[in-house]
């Protein structure tokens, strides 16, 4: 097998022509029958290469000479955090009191299932964290007590603080859900009581 | 001029060809297995050596080093003698190369599922295998170079340039990245640590793509495409420019795997710009391939071989455009750690490497057996299965990557994460994993068709053991003095090899030297301390189980990550990590701060215990596989003293003589953790592996908050 002999034309002493594309074949360039054409680099390709080189030089100069803020990740981060702070909505001042409306409880249930159930189980029976269905409490049984535990956590025992993850309203919703729906229900498997009995 | 007669021996090409087909099938079956494991986490059945973290490295190693590796050798052993008009220098060396390489693959296929791994992506194999690879690679190199020395063609063709670049660069990459100090026959620690290890590793990893998956295959393209199309190569000038530009620029681009990591800005910037500059040189190869088909497009329609080549080259063009885009920091901020990367990889893998290999095999098999391809129809069917399979694989994963990334970054109006629970973002993209697996089934079906077709072809013909050819002897003096520039270099293969070596060394040296010599690149953090012996053992379990295949340990400096995981990772925190464990994909959440009690990732020991035993008990929809054996197996603590000693050799500041006391401390810490678990009602002994792993997880990311002083009392 060699490069298609039928499509080669000798033009003059120097070059042969590939008749299918009408381009010059290089003399003496034949490797196991493979020939090479003497085509120039496509000019769009050259431009593409040049543009990427210019881009690169500008990029490096912006970083190394001008220390451009958007190329220094520490500064980018500070800016992002500052922006978030500036745009943060005002902290809502809501009273810490049991919520009983259906929407709040539904929202509370959603947070419970997605986040808290990992340790307390969906039905509140308790696993890593204590049982929420009985009337035994380590930190008290009022809505304020539950809200405070959820807010500050009990870090050394493995209950983390949800202050930065959930808004005040969300924390209130989920703790209201515990008190109204979980307490008094019957879980599949109940963890043994922890804390003191509240009547 | 007197013609000399000589023969080409086809037996080595045939051996490598069979190995390509065999390992291709195995590698892809393993690929499909892990694709299914990502949907059905219990598929591994609680069997350690079938778990995702151990099989994924097997898949990547098998398809890269076994399938593509044997594929490149098939083509190289076939084309090199013909391009140089001489038999290979030594059939014996060729055989050693072949059997050595297959033994290495078998060793990999045994050790990786057993969890014997260094824990560096694409460089998982342990030190004895690494040494074998280096030796066999040198055998291959000697054979290649000596064949050039005794060639009968004055100039070496562009395909050979690419083979040379492959040989030289892979040797350098492999040796530099694999240097480690053995702990035992099957365990070692790399000499680099943390962010420096990461730089070396991704210099290696990226250039494994460049010089193992790309340059040899460009060489194959330059041989098999003009052969199959019966057309001259489009532009010799383009060959020269894109060859040198490609190999010179590629070597710098590694840091694009570490954008927004703890790598200093200057090094990241080099990764960005050198990636961007790679578009044109890469496309040079694509253009030279596609335009070679000018005047032959009518043939493409009829020939499955050419069709496959066209898709391969197009896929090459697509992924080499996409790669530079992914290297822009703003794009990478979205794509990194998501399935986008996996989609990108597989356009290259299934398209470029897969299709080029298939095309080559369909062309070669009939020639080796002096017959016609058994069925063009079946080959066409394979073409369509492979093409649609690739699309079904990639498109859903692009979508998955994009979706998940946006979910990770979304905030509510009140300024809290919209999806604080990681699992929600996983559940969202599960349907895409089904589609990906379906794509894999299509692609694999195509491969099975190919195998049948090729076997039938071989059966119909008779193997041509050797082919005769003739050529005049080489007169190097011919036209001496007349030749200039590149043409001159082409007639001096040794010089050519040396120039290649210089071109590929520059980038690495310029990036490494400051990173290792200039202290400010890895600012020291005073409270960062070495791991305790128990944590170190736990870390080795983390490596063994391949947790890094799904979990990253690199919090990037973004608000969304700092809120989700905790403070972003600092270079100084990683200085005792031999090897680093940044990971490259977050199938599960980042773990860099999972030990920080005041942080959002913290879970108590009992949670971890239950989670390792049965992840779905703790997170119902989790796709993490269970690790029951960690709870059954006793931790092997006989290795502790030697591990501490090796760490000391590597510069980790344990107190003098600590190796001998290490196990006392280990037992104390284990007892404390196990006692805590027992107090919580979990029946577990101090000696179990899970205790060590929990110790490691609870240590992660805590040092910068540690105010307690040294953990290593010098009693
Ligand atoms: C039936 C065909 C295949 C299937 C089903 C498949 C499946 C997979 C899966 C599930 C992963 C892990 C993805 C993750 O961690 O999220 C993966 C990774 C990978 N595969 Fe494949 N694969 C196939 C063929 C190939 C081929 C032919 C190659 C190369 C020639 C290849 C190269 C790779 C590489 C390099 C990775 C690692 C990507 C990374 O670390 O980002 N695959 N594959």
């Amino acid at each position: 097998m060699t490069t298609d002999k039928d499509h080669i034309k000798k033009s003059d002493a120097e070059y042969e022509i590939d008749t299918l594309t009408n381009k010059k074949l290089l003399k003496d360039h034949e490797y196991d029958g493979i020939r090479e054409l003497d085509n120039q680099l496509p000019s769009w390709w050259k431009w593409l290469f040049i543009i990427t080189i210019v881009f690169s030089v500008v990029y490096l100069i912006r970083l190394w000479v001008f220390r451009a803020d958007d190329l220094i990740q520490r500064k980018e981060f500070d800016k992002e955090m500052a922006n978030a702070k500036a745009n943060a909505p005002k902290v809502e001042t809501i009273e810490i009191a049991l919520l009983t409306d259906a929407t709040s409880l539904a929202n509370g249930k959603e947070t419970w299932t997605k986040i808290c159930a990992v340790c307390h189980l969906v039905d509140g029976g308790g696993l890593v964290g204590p049982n929420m269905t009985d009337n035994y409490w380590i930190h008290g049984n009022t809505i304020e007590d539950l809200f405070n535990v959820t807010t500050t956590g009990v870090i050394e025992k493995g209950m983390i603080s949800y202050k930065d993850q959930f808004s005040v309203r969300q924390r209130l919703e989920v703790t209201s859900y515990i008190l109204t729906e979980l307490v008094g229900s019957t879980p599949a498997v109940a963890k043994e009581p922890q804390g003191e009995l509240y009547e | 001029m007197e013609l000399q007669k000589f023969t080409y021996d086809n037996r080595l090409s045939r051996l490598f060809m069979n190995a390509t087909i065999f390992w291709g099938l195995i590698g892809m079956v393993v690929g499909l297995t892990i694709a299914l494991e990502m949907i059905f986490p219990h598929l591994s059945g609680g069997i350690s050596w079938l778990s995702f973290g151990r099989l994924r490295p097997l898949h990547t190693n098998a398809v890269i080093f076994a399938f593509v590796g044997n594929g490149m050798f098939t083509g190289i052993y076939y084309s090199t003698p013909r391009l140089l008009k001489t038999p290979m220098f030594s059939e014996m060396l060729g055989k050693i190369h072949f059997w050595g390489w297959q033994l290495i693959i078998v060793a990999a296929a045994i050790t990786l599922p057993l969890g014997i791994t260094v824990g560096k992506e694409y460089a998982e194999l342990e030190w004895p295998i690494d040494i074998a690879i280096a030796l066999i690679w040198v055998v291959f190199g000697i054979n290649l170079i000596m064949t050039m020395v005794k060639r009968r063609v004055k100039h070496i063709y562009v395909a050979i340039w690419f083979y040379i670049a492959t040989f030289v660069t892979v040797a350098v990459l492999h040796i530099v990245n694999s240097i480690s100090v053995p702990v035992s026959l099957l365990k070692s620690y790399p000499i680099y640590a943390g962010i420096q290890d990461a730089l070396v590793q991704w210099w290696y990893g990226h250039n494994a793509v460049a010089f193992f998956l790309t340059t040899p295959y460009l060489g194959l393209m330059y041989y098999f495409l003009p052969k199959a199309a019966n057309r001259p190569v489009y532009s010799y000038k383009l060959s020269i420019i894109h060859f040198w530009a490609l190999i010179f620029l590629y070597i710098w681009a590694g840091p694009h795997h570490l954008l927004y990591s703890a790598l200093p800005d200057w090094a990241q910037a080099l990764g960005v710009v050198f990636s961007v500059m790679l578009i044109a040189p890469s496309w040079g190869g694509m253009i030279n391939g596609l335009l070679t088909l000018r005047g032959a497009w009518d043939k493409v329609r009829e020939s499955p071989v050419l069709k496959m080549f066209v898709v391969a080259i197009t896929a090459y063009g697509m992924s080499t455009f996409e790669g530079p885009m992914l290297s822009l920091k703003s794009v990478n901020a979205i794509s990194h750690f998501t399935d986008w990367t996996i989609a990108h990889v597989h356009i290259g893998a299934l398209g470029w490497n897969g299709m080029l290999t298939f095309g080559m095999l369909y062309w070669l098999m009939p020639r080796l057996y002096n017959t016609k391809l058994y069925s063009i129809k079946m080959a066409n069917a394979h073409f369509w299965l492979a093409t649609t399979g690739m699309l079904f694989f990639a498109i859903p994963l692009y979508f998955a990557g994009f979706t998940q990334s946006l979910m990770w970054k979304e905030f509510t109006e009140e300024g809290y994460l919209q999806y604080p629970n990681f699992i929600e973002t996983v559940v969202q993209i599960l349907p895409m994993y089904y589609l990906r697996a379906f794509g894999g089934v299509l692609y694999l079906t195509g491969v099975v068709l190919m195998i049948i077709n090729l076997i039938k072809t071989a059966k119909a013909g008779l193997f041509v053991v050797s082919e005769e050819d003739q050529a005049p002897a080489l007169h190097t003096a011919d036209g001496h003095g007349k030749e200039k520039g590149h043409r001159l270099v082409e007639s001096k293969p040794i010089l050519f090899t040396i120039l290649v070596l210089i071109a590929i060394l520059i980038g690495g040296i310029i990036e490494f030297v400051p990173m290792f010599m200039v202290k400010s690149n890895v600012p020291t953090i005073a409270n960062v301390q070495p791991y305790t012996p128990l944590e170190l053992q736990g870390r080795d379990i983390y490596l063994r189980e391949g947790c890094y295949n799904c979990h990253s340990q690199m919090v990037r400096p973004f608000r969304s990550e700092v809120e989700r995981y905790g403070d972003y990772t600092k270079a100084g925190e990683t200085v005792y990590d031999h090897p680093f464990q940044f990971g490259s994909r977050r199938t599960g959440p980042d773990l860099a701060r999972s030990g920080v009690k005041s942080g959002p990732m913290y879970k108590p020991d009992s949670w971890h215990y239950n989670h390792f035993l049965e992840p779905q008990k703790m997170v119902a929809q989790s796709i993490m596989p269970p690790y029951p054996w960690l709870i059954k197996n006793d931790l092997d603590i006989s290795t502790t003293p030697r591990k501490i000693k090796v760490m000391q050799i590597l510069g980790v500041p344990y107190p003098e003589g600590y190796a001998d006391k290490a196990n006392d401390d280990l037992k104390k810490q284990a007892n404390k953790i196990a006692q805590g678990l027992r107090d919580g009602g979990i029946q577990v002994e101090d000696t179990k592996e899970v205790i060590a792993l929990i110790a490691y997880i609870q240590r992660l990311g805590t040092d910068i908050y540690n105010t307690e002083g040294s953990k290593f009392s010098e009693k």
Side-chain angles (χ1 to χ4, degrees):
Chain A
M1 278 262 285
T2 54
T3 300
D4 214 350
K5 289 259 161 52
D6 304 343
H7 298 297
I8 297 176
K9 192 179 84 191
K10 279 223 181 330
S11 70
D12 49 45
E14 273 300 301
Y15 284 108
E16 290 170 324
I17 301 285
D18 165 48
T19 57
L20 280 183
T21 56
N22 241 343
K23 298 287 184 202
K24 273 192 226 163
L25 283 158
L26 283 163
K27 222 176 98 186
D28 293 339
H29 285 232
E30 177 164 350
Y31 308 91
D32 196 25
I34 299 170
R35 300 290 304 265
E36 291 179 302
L37 291 163
D38 192 22
N39 286 320
Q40 295 301 321
L41 309 174
S43 64
W44 65 267
W45 182 87
K46 267 191 280 189
W47 279 110
L48 178 67
F49 202 5
I50 292 168
I51 290 168
T52 59
I53 293 171
V54 172
F55 167 89
S56 302
V57 172
V58 171
Y59 191 101
L60 293 181
I61 291 178
R62 285 192 65 227
L63 173 64
W64 291 348
V65 181
F66 297 105
R67 311 290 307 153
D69 282 358
D70 60 321
L71 297 181
I72 296 172
Q73 76 187 24
R74 169 83 239 189
K75 289 192 180 159
E76 257 185 284
F77 175 68
D78 291 344
K79 196 170 143 204
E80 191 191 9
M81 293 310 274
N83 270 347
K85 212 170 183 182
N87 296 333
K90 274 200 227 74
V91 193
E92 34 177 351
T93 37
I94 45 174
E95 197 197 336
I96 307 302
L98 193 68
L99 301 170
T100 47
D101 61 294
T103 357
S104 300
L105 291 179
N107 289 343
K109 183 174 182 178
E110 197 185 328
T111 308
W112 179 262
T113 330
K114 280 186 192 161
I115 305 290
C116 322
V118 164
C119 292
H120 295 284
L121 292 200
V122 179
D123 61 16
L127 186 65
V128 170
N131 184 342
M132 294 285 180
T133 61
D134 58 16
N135 268 321
Y136 289 84
W137 298 95
I138 307 171
H139 301 281
N141 73 336
T142 68
I143 184 74
E144 285 90 358
D145 293 334
L146 270 72
F147 179 85
N148 286 341
V149 174
T150 311
T151 302
T152 55
V154 192
I155 289 163
E156 57 291 354
K157 294 289 172 53
M159 165 78 195
I160 67 172
S161 147
Y162 286 96
K163 184 163 63 45
D164 296 329
Q165 293 189 52
F166 294 114
S167 63
V168 173
R169 167 160 290 280
Q170 282 172 309
R171 276 174 264 149
L172 200 55
E173 283 167 350
V174 70
T175 41
S176 297
Y177 170 74
I178 300 175
L179 283 180
T180 36
E181 310 260 327
L182 292 179
V183 174
S185 67
T186 340
V189 185
K191 197 176 173 187
E192 81 288 353
Q194 285 167 276
E196 287 160 39
L197 182 63
Y198 288 73
E199 296 298 345
Chain B
M1 239 184 291
E2 196 195 327
L3 289 180
Q4 300 179 334
K5 282 206 164 98
F6 51 90
T7 54
Y8 305 125
D9 193 322
N10 284 334
R11 282 174 300 185
L12 274 173
S13 313
R14 179 172 69 160
L15 278 175
F16 278 116
M17 182 172 71
N18 294 342
T20 309
I21 298 168
F22 177 73
W23 292 120
L25 183 67
I26 303 270
M28 289 178 217
V29 167
V30 178
L32 187 58
T33 310
I34 57 175
L36 293 171
E37 283 186 347
M38 293 186 77
I39 312 171
F40 309 109
H42 284 272
L43 201 64
S44 55
I47 299 169
S48 60
W49 48 271
L50 282 180
S51 68
F52 183 88
R54 296 198 191 179
L55 286 191
R56 185 177 184 258
L58 180 66
H59 165 63
T60 52
N61 279 273
V63 289
I64 297 174
F65 300 111
F67 172 59
V68 176
N70 279 307
M72 86 163 95
F73 299 137
T74 307
I76 291 177
Y77 277 91
Y78 184 85
S79 61
T80 306
R82 287 167 173 81
L83 288 168
L84 299 173
K85 294 278 172 237
T86 173
M88 283 306 288
F89 166 68
S90 160
E91 286 300 311
M92 191 60 203
L93 286 182
K95 273 193 198 135
I96 295 176
H97 175 194
F98 176 79
W99 288 110
W101 196 253
Q102 309 316 312
L103 271 178
I104 288 166
I105 296 168
V106 171
I110 294 170
T111 55
L112 291 175
L114 289 177
I116 296 164
T117 169
V118 181
K120 299 196 359 163
E121 276 178 275
Y122 315 118
E124 285 92 351
L125 301 176
E126 265 300 350
W127 65 275
I129 310 179
D130 276 343
I131 293 176
I133 295 174
L135 292 177
I136 293 298
W137 197 257
V138 170
V139 167
F140 160 58
I142 293 173
N143 216 357
L144 181 68
I145 290 175
M146 289 312 290
T147 308
M148 291 194 288
V149 168
K150 47 172 267 212
R151 72 198 185 282
R152 292 193 179 77
V153 180
K154 186 170 173 196
H155 301 98
I156 51 174
Y157 174 58
V158 49
I160 308 270
W161 312 348
F162 279 105
Y163 301 162
I164 295 175
T166 303
F167 161 65
V168 170
T169 317
V170 171
V172 173
L173 294 170
H174 173 68
I175 292 169
V176 173
N177 188 48
S178 303
I179 303 177
S180 56
V181 179
V183 171
S184 66
L185 184 63
L186 294 171
K187 171 82 195 159
S188 65
Y189 291 127
I191 60 165
Y192 320 104
I195 192 72
Q196 293 169 340
D197 188 34
L199 181 66
V200 176
Q201 160 65 23
W202 283 115
W203 162 82
Y204 162 89
H206 177 70
N207 288 299
V209 174
F211 291 89
F212 207 93
L213 299 177
T214 304
T215 54
Y217 268 54
L218 281 168
L220 300 187
M221 176 192 87
Y222 274 113
Y223 181 78
F224 290 98
L225 180 74
K227 278 282 188 185
N230 207 5
R231 296 289 302 145
V233 171
Y234 173 69
S235 167
Y236 164 68
K237 289 202 180 86
L238 188 55
S239 296
I240 299 176
I241 306 271
H242 101 91
F243 170 79
W244 289 104
L246 197 73
I247 66 165
F248 173 74
L249 296 174
Y250 241 131
I251 212 81
W252 296 72
H256 69 211
H257 289 262
L258 296 165
L259 297 180
Y260 285 114
S261 74
L263 194 72
D265 288 310
W266 65 264
Q268 294 190 30
L270 289 177
V272 173
V273 300
F274 278 89
S275 304
V276 169
M277 282 188 285
L278 270 168
I279 303 179
S282 304
W283 275 18
M286 173 180 70
I287 298 170
N288 235 359
L290 290 180
L291 294 186
T292 293
L293 291 170
R294 263 196 190 171
W297 283 99
D298 50 323
K299 286 189 209 159
V300 174
R301 234 167 295 135
E302 282 145 34
S303 152
V305 172
L306 288 180
K307 264 194 272 194
M308 288 187 158
F309 284 169
V310 168
V311 170
I313 297 168
T314 311
Y316 175 63
M318 277 161 53
S319 42
T320 53
F321 176 73
E322 190 189 10
M325 294 304 116
L326 294 177
S327 305
L328 297 173
K329 289 187 90 174
S330 48
V331 181
N332 194 272
I334 300 171
S335 73
H336 193 54
F337 289 137
T338 76
D339 284 314
W340 190 337
T341 311
I342 318 297
H344 165 65
V345 165
H346 283 84
I347 293 287
L350 303 179
W352 167 242
N353 294 116
M355 294 292 234
L356 202 86
T357 310
F358 305 147
M360 176 182 79
L361 295 176
Y362 282 122
W363 187 85
L364 203 53
M365 188 62 110
R367 278 164 184 78
L368 290 184
Y369 282 85
N370 194 20
T371 178
K372 277 204 158 86
L373 187 63
Y374 169 73
S375 163
I376 302 258
K377 248 197 187 149
M378 265 167 89
N380 276 326
H382 179 193
F383 169 79
W384 285 111
L385 282 168
T387 308
T388 43
M390 177 169 90
L391 297 178
F392 266 105
F393 193 115
I395 294 171
L397 287 194
Y398 282 119
F399 184 76
F402 205 70
T403 307
Q404 196 176 27
S405 188
L406 294 186
M407 289 177 83
W408 289 343
K409 288 173 188 294
E410 195 173 330
F411 280 91
T412 62
E413 274 172 29
E414 294 96 47
Y416 296 93
L417 286 171
Q418 176 76 47
Y419 305 99
N421 195 355
F422 190 89
I423 195 66
E424 280 184 86
T425 72
V426 177
V427 170
Q428 187 73 28
I429 61 172
L430 265 184
M432 300 301 122
Y433 286 175
Y434 281 88
L435 288 174
R436 181 258 299 273
F438 176 65
V441 170
L442 291 182
Y443 198 83
L444 197 56
T445 311
V447 170
V448 172
L449 278 190
M450 175 186 79
I451 296 176
I452 298 171
N453 204 353
L454 292 179
I455 292 177
K456 296 239 177 194
T457 307
K459 286 219 166 116
L462 203 62
F463 180 55
V464 185
V465 176
S466 60
E467 284 167 53
E468 300 219 334
D469 200 355
Q470 52 186 29
L474 176 65
H475 297 285
T476 23
D478 272 5
H480 209 72
K482 266 190 286 171
E483 278 179 344
K484 285 192 293 286
H486 204 265
R487 202 64 182 148
L488 185 67
V489 186
E490 286 165 35
S491 67
K492 299 187 182 318
I494 304 288
L495 176 66
F496 198 100
T497 308
I498 293 169
L499 291 178
V500 166
L501 181 65
I502 295 171
I504 61 111
L505 283 179
I506 296 173
I509 292 174
I510 293 183
E511 286 175 356
F512 290 177
V513 170
M515 199 59 203
F516 282 87
M517 308 304 272
V518 182
K519 231 179 158 297
S520 66
N521 282 320
V522 189
T524 311
I525 301 176
N527 18 358
V528 172
Q529 293 182 38
Y531 293 104
T532 68
L534 187 66
E535 291 157 4
L536 187 64
Q537 292 284 13
R539 188 170 204 271
D540 284 336
I541 295 173
Y542 187 93
L543 299 176
R544 183 186 78 194
E545 299 308 335
C547 309
Y548 64 87
N549 287 291
C550 287
H551 292 281
S552 57
Q553 285 188 25
M554 171 51 66
V555 182
R556 296 179 292 175
F558 301 142
R559 177 180 166 220
S560 58
E561 299 207 354
V562 170
E563 293 285 339
R564 184 183 297 280
Y565 302 119
D567 202 1
Y568 65 87
T569 305
K570 319 282 188 297
E573 290 182 87
T574 66
V575 292
Y576 302 130
D577 288 357
H578 297 268
F580 79 110
Q581 286 293 291
F582 298 172
S584 60
R585 165 80 185 99
R586 281 182 190 147
T587 300
D590 189 279
L591 299 179
R593 297 267 175 235
S594 53
V596 180
K597 283 199 168 160
S598 55
M601 284 300 289
Y602 184 74
K603 308 280 186 319
D605 291 356
S606 56
W607 187 92
H608 284 297
Y609 178 91
N610 283 309
H611 187 243
F612 289 131
L613 185 62
E614 177 64 54
Q616 287 69 25
K617 196 161 143 197
M618 309 314 289
V619 185
Q621 290 159 303
S622 177
I623 57 169
M624 174 162 152
Y627 290 88
W629 61 91
L630 296 182
I631 282 146
K632 277 190 227 115
N633 292 356
D634 277 328
L635 183 69
D636 176 7
I637 60 169
S638 69
T639 52
T640 315
R642 175 69 190 159
K643 284 184 175 175
I644 299 286
K645 272 193 199 125
V646 171
M647 284 293 174
Q648 283 172 323
I649 295 172
L650 297 174
V652 178
Y654 289 105
E656 202 151 326
Y658 187 67
D660 301 326
K661 302 178 205 149
N663 269 336
D664 301 340
D665 282 2
L666 181 148
K667 286 178 193 155
K668 259 183 241 153
Q669 196 185 357
N671 177 264
K672 202 169 148 207
I673 294 172
Q675 194 53 50
L677 288 173
R678 287 192 289 266
D679 291 346
I682 293 170
Q683 284 317 310
V684 62
E685 289 157 52
D686 295 8
T687 53
K688 299 299 172 193
E689 289 187 333
V690 69
I691 304 293
L693 188 54
I694 291 176
Y696 172 61
I697 300 286
Q698 299 294 31
R699 171 68 185 275
L700 284 175
T702 56
D703 278 25
I704 55 172
Y705 306 101
N706 174 33
T707 46
E708 286 163 20
S710 173
K711 293 185 195 290
F712 307 98
S713 49
E714 283 172 72
K715 25 184 165 141

